[in-house]
Amino acid sequence: MNLSTWRWKPLSILLFGLSFLAVVLLQSLMPAVALRQPVPAQEIRGVWLTTNDTDVLIDRPKLHGAIDQLAELNFNTLYPVVWNGGYTFFDSGIARRAGIQHFVRRGIQDYDILAELTSKGHSKGMSVIPWFEFGFMAPATSELATLYSDWLTEKRNGSRIDTRREGGDMVWLNPYRPEVQQFITHMLLELVSRYDVDGVQFDDHFILPVEFGYDDYTRSLYKAETGRDVPNDPHNPQWVKWRADHLTEFVKTLNADLKARRRDLIFSVAPNPYDFAYKGQLQDWLTWVRQGWVDELIVQIYRNNLGDFRKQLYTSSIRETQQKIPTAAGILTGLRNAPVPIRFIESKVRAARSSGLGMSFFFYESLWEDAPEPADARQASFRDLFATPMQRNSFQTAAL
């Protein structure tokens, strides 16, 4: 060993020691950094605008103020209701020609509500995906149900009434009848043709409750296709699959029709967790995802227990879906008679984000108006949760 090498040896040992110490310190800090929960590159941050928010929707200053506030808090998606109670919330020629009067057609300043909302939302960089809320369901006393009673399906005992739904007695359009499929399809094609919306969304009413399907039309169709009578047990696996498969065929056709009209349209689905959706509602949304007919999924996880909420985030159906398309958890922010504390909402957002999911909130008015805390306190919480802006066009296009 020469003299110059000997002189550098202590310095090399010192540098190695400092490097080792830096690595140890960095590793010790990693858990603290992880607690900060960095925001993913893709995250749906949506809110549903329901019939409870009618005052906001029909008054232009209130509507603009609401969208300005949501945009300032870095929300990126609006889901306004357009089909509820057997009525359209946009000026539909299809519904008008069917003899159905419009429930809410224009704002009090005489403006087209959906057109105004879409224009304002887009000006703030937000996506607007109208929400086809009631799907095949309608109030038993609605014009739709009374004018087209032959479109309705029934239970095994002959009853057409579903008494378990909030808002009174409901009936269900038979999704297997061509007339029903045509009515729904034409109404949606009209919507996406007339308005510059980014997509359409179907939820847990775009289904048929497992107890239904015992009307004469469906019985005859089942008999013709299988050679058997419909089982008395509505939960019979073959009977469940037959009805679910026929719903799936309609979704396939509807998706193709909508995409033929607007190729870039987002076909959004907001169902219940898969096991219940399939067995209880004949909604095989996982197959829809696997076939490429769904562009985003928001699973309604309205759980009052944080442990139950977290468990649903890691089901195999959600984990598989989030590898294919933008996926989010539906989070309940409160109902009129059941407010939800902001700390519980924060915990759910963080849990969803930790599992790689976005989030959408039900519903706008309960974000900070009908709430247990002051509005400014709840808004401050969302400001912290969504501190980094996140526009959808940076990731949605790649998924289509």
Side-chain angles (χ1 to χ4, degrees):
M1 181 182 297
N2 58 38
L3 183 61
S4 60
T5 302
W6 181 87
R7 286 174 178 172
W8 282 104
K9 186 174 182 181
L11 181 59
S12 300
I13 294 173
L14 176 62
L15 291 174
F16 174 79
L18 290 173
S19 300
F20 179 78
L21 179 61
V23 171
V24 172
L25 288 173
L26 181 60
Q27 289 178 337
S28 67
L29 289 174
M30 285 180 66
V33 172
L35 291 176
R36 296 174 190 170
Q37 198 180 35
V39 178
Q42 305 177 9
E43 186 172 82
I44 295 171
R45 300 171 181 173
V47 60
W48 281 285
L49 291 139
T50 76
T51 50
N52 292 315
D53 304 308
T54 299
D55 288 347
V56 172
L57 295 172
I58 66 173
D59 188 339
R60 182 183 277 124
K62 290 182 179 180
L63 177 61
H64 283 217
I67 295 175
D68 285 341
Q69 181 70 74
L70 290 168
E72 192 270 329
L73 294 175
N74 290 325
F75 283 76
N76 59 23
T77 312
L78 303 172
Y79 299 103
V81 61
V82 292
W83 173 247
N84 177 295
Y87 298 95
T88 60
F89 283 72
F90 66 98
D91 189 6
S92 169
I94 299 297
R96 187 166 53 249
R97 286 191 290 274
I100 300 170
Q101 300 301 311
H102 299 299
F103 184 61
V104 176
R105 183 182 298 177
R106 303 189 69 80
I108 59 178
Q109 291 87 10
D110 193 32
Y111 61 90
D112 184 314
I113 295 171
L114 183 57
E116 187 82 11
L117 188 150
T118 301
S119 176
K120 178 65 176 178
H122 285 170
S123 75
K124 292 294 182 177
M126 306 177 78
S127 295
V128 178
I129 303 177
W131 169 37
F132 200 71
E133 182 186 5
F134 265 38
F136 296 109
M137 186 178 76
T141 57
S142 65
E143 289 177 310
L144 179 62
T146 54
L147 289 173
Y148 300 95
S149 60
D150 56 325
W151 288 5
L152 305 181
T153 185
E154 59 191 47
K155 293 183 280 189
R156 189 166 65 89
N157 63 6
S159 173
R160 294 177 170 179
I161 305 298
D162 187 348
T163 59
R164 300 173 304 168
R165 307 286 159 173
E166 293 183 9
D169 292 347
M170 296 291 170
V171 294
W172 290 88
L173 302 178
N174 187 339
Y176 312 125
R177 293 188 72 103
E179 310 96 302
V180 172
Q181 295 186 5
Q182 185 179 61
F183 174 71
I184 298 294
T185 300
H186 288 178
M187 191 160 43
L188 287 163
L189 288 172
E190 176 186 42
L191 171 67
V192 302
S193 299
R194 290 191 53 197
Y195 296 90
D196 185 27
V197 297
D198 299 289
V200 290
Q201 185 183 80
F202 310 94
D203 68 1
D204 58 329
H205 297 108
F206 205 62
I207 51 107
L208 186 65
V210 70
E211 296 84 6
F212 286 82
Y214 286 89
D215 56 276
D216 290 341
Y217 179 88
T218 308
R219 285 177 181 273
S220 296
L221 184 62
Y222 183 82
K223 179 78 169 181
E225 293 188 0
T226 67
R228 300 187 298 271
D229 292 330
V230 299
N232 290 328
D233 179 9
H235 300 279
N236 177 281
Q238 287 74 34
W239 177 219
V240 167
K241 186 177 187 303
W242 184 90
R243 286 174 292 168
D245 287 349
H246 275 263
L247 272 171
T248 291
E249 280 300 310
F250 175 56
V251 169
K252 175 184 178 181
T253 302
L254 179 61
N255 177 276
D257 289 342
L258 290 172
K259 291 299 181 78
R261 187 67 56 90
R262 292 266 306 275
R263 189 180 67 84
D264 61 342
L265 200 73
I266 298 170
F267 195 99
S268 174
V269 180
N272 279 307
Y274 181 70
D275 189 59
F276 175 72
Y278 179 77
K279 294 178 181 178
Q281 301 177 317
L282 311 176
Q283 190 179 44
D284 189 6
W285 59 256
L286 185 56
T287 292
W288 306 355
V289 170
R290 288 171 173 169
Q291 294 298 323
W293 306 329
V294 179
D295 301 309
E296 74 163 25
L297 185 82
I298 302 174
V299 182
Q300 298 180 37
I301 311 178
Y302 300 154
R303 299 294 189 272
N304 294 323
N305 180 281
L306 188 59
D308 292 342
F309 177 84
R310 286 174 172 155
K311 181 180 179 180
Q312 289 296 328
L313 299 175
Y314 294 93
T315 58
S316 59
S317 54
I318 289 183
R319 302 308 267 175
E320 178 180 339
T321 298
Q322 70 182 136
Q323 301 304 314
K324 297 178 171 68
I325 56 176
T327 307
I331 296 175
L332 181 67
T333 48
L335 302 172
R336 290 191 183 278
N337 298 319
V340 177
I342 190 62
R343 296 295 174 241
F344 192 41
I345 297 169
E346 290 173 352
S347 296
K348 286 186 172 183
V349 170
R350 294 192 180 100
R353 183 172 285 161
S354 292
S355 68
L357 299 176
M359 59 287 303
S360 187
F361 302 96
F362 187 87
F363 56 99
Y364 170 75
E365 193 173 83
S366 66
L367 286 175
W368 42 73
E369 293 302 326
D370 290 337
E373 302 90 1
D376 58 350
R378 287 173 73 96
Q379 289 171 1
S381 180
F382 281 104
R383 186 174 289 107
D384 290 340
L385 290 169
F386 300 152
T388 305
M390 179 73 64
Q391 289 195 351
R392 288 181 58 114
N393 57 9
S394 63
F395 65 90
Q396 189 68 51
T397 304
L400 294 178

